[in-house]
Amino acid sequence: MNGTSFQSDIRYWLRQGNTVNHLLFWNIIVFLGINIVHLIAFLTKQPGPFIWTYDQLAIHAPLSAFILKPWGLITYMFTHEQIFHVLFNMINLYWFGNLFRDFLGNKRVLPLYLLGGIAGGLLYLLSASLFPGYMGYTMIGASAAIMCILVAAATLMPNYEIGLMFLGSIRLKWLALALVLLGLISIPNGNIGGLISHMGGALLGFFYIRTLQAGTDLCRPLIWLFDVNTRREQRQAARKFKPKKSPLKVVRKTDDSSQSRLDQLLDKINEKGYNSLSAEEKAWLDKVSKEN
């Protein structure tokens, strides 16, 4: 034994700066909490506290029921009751969440998780309103959020290969496609609401990467909201960057190639801040300002 306590191990795990670890932690905490309440209800034969707890965490359908507990659109994606449900979801979150994080950064993990869960929840509510009686009145689970991250990873790097037990190496695009198709053909067999929410998460994951590749990051507002460093960097860049001369004067006195590059740098500063420039870009911009 190395003498470290369980609490120390957990703190070290959470301090690594990996949002996937934090999502795993809170999903497991909620799972343990709701099952402890369930166990107490079973032993005391008083189901009321468990029913109330579940009722507060789940998303409710139809829309008239959802309006009374709108927070369920967020809390449902952190809630599991069955052991195999949470185990399967957490394994997938660990694999594909870290894969997504490696390619697109830690800051986008939580925003996309939330957007995927919200998309799945909204599609569930819409389906429950259009087809009443075909699905349950409540839903819990992180499956839609995780499916969003999985499909986003597969859309971004479709030919990335992962190793699966008994199947060997398989490209990520085929795995994502297989899971989506399995979900679609399983709809008539039960858990219709959950499977429909999976499709909502998958669609959001695909759409997110396509819009990101086109230059629009749907996660940007949530990144700004959740990440203190991003807000600090933007404020510092806004205070720090003060052009020595009007950009209009510089543009008039530069040739076409220099003007084109200057326009690109000014657009970059406007969008991401002065600190987003490389050292070479800052030096070039300073040189052009002095020359004119």
Side-chain angles (χ1 to χ4, degrees):
M1 300 295 290
N2 58 13
T4 60
S5 66
F6 177 74
Q7 292 87 344
S8 298
D9 291 339
I10 292 296
R11 284 196 296 268
Y12 172 76
W13 187 59
L14 293 176
R15 287 174 179 172
Q16 293 179 359
N18 187 339
T19 300
V20 175
N21 291 349
H22 288 262
L23 290 172
L24 291 168
F25 175 79
W26 287 111
N27 272 278
I28 294 170
I29 287 295
V30 174
F31 167 75
L32 292 175
I34 196 172
N35 276 278
I36 288 172
V37 175
H38 197 181
L39 177 61
I40 294 173
F42 173 78
L43 295 175
T44 61
K45 298 183 180 179
Q46 298 293 328
F50 170 72
I51 294 174
W52 182 88
T53 302
Y54 180 93
D55 198 49
Q56 299 305 309
L57 295 173
I59 185 173
H60 292 257
L63 189 60
S64 57
F66 167 75
I67 291 174
L68 299 176
K69 296 181 176 67
W71 56 84
L73 186 60
I74 301 298
T75 56
Y76 94 94
M77 68 181 83
F78 294 90
T79 307
H80 301 81
E81 183 186 358
Q82 303 297 327
I83 180 65
F84 287 108
H85 190 196
V86 70
L87 179 62
F88 183 75
N89 274 347
M90 294 305 99
I91 290 174
N92 282 324
L93 176 58
Y94 178 80
W95 284 347
F96 300 108
N98 280 302
L99 185 60
F100 175 87
R101 177 178 178 268
D102 288 342
F103 281 84
L104 284 180
N106 189 65
K107 294 180 181 180
R108 290 187 173 94
V109 175
L110 177 58
L112 189 61
Y113 181 95
L114 292 174
L115 290 177
I118 290 171
L122 292 178
L123 188 58
Y124 162 74
L125 290 172
L126 177 63
S127 302
S129 300
L130 295 177
F131 309 105
Y134 282 93
M135 57 192 69
Y137 296 108
T138 61
M139 181 179 68
I140 59 174
S143 301
I146 296 168
M147 181 65 78
C148 176
I149 292 176
L150 189 159
V151 172
T155 305
L156 178 67
M157 39 197 163
N159 294 319
Y160 185 91
E161 292 188 354
I162 61 174
L164 294 179
M165 189 178 296
F166 306 121
L167 295 178
S169 296
I170 182 172
R171 290 185 177 180
L172 200 51
K173 61 182 178 182
W174 300 125
L175 176 61
L177 181 61
L179 291 176
V180 171
L181 290 178
L182 284 174
L184 288 174
I185 65 177
S186 298
I187 287 178
N189 298 328
N191 189 26
I192 298 175
L195 292 170
I196 287 177
S197 74
H198 297 179
M199 299 304 105
L203 288 172
L204 195 283
F206 176 81
F207 182 71
Y208 172 73
I209 295 299
R210 286 292 181 253
T211 57
L212 183 64
Q213 291 171 335
T216 301
D217 189 350
L218 299 178
C219 288
R220 180 177 296 173
L222 291 179
I223 292 174
W224 183 89
L225 178 65
F226 295 141
D227 192 76
V228 176
N229 292 330
T230 297
R231 297 197 298 272
R232 184 185 299 117
E233 289 172 3
Q234 289 180 352
R235 289 194 297 267
Q236 291 175 346
R239 290 194 298 265
K240 181 177 180 181
F241 179 68
K242 295 179 180 179
K244 296 182 179 180
K245 294 189 177 182
S246 169
L248 294 177
K249 294 180 180 179
V250 176
V251 169
R252 285 197 299 267
K253 296 184 180 182
T254 55
D255 57 31
D256 291 342
S257 61
S258 296
Q259 179 177 331
S260 176
R261 187 180 187 191
L262 178 62
D263 290 339
Q264 292 176 356
L265 294 182
L266 292 176
D267 288 340
K268 186 175 181 180
I269 292 170
N270 183 57
E271 180 181 357
K272 300 181 180 180
Y274 181 73
N275 285 341
S276 65
L277 299 181
S278 66
E280 186 274 332
E281 290 172 337
K282 291 177 182 177
W284 186 88
L285 185 62
D286 185 60
K287 177 175 178 287
V288 171
S289 299
K290 291 178 179 179
E291 290 175 351
N292 295 276

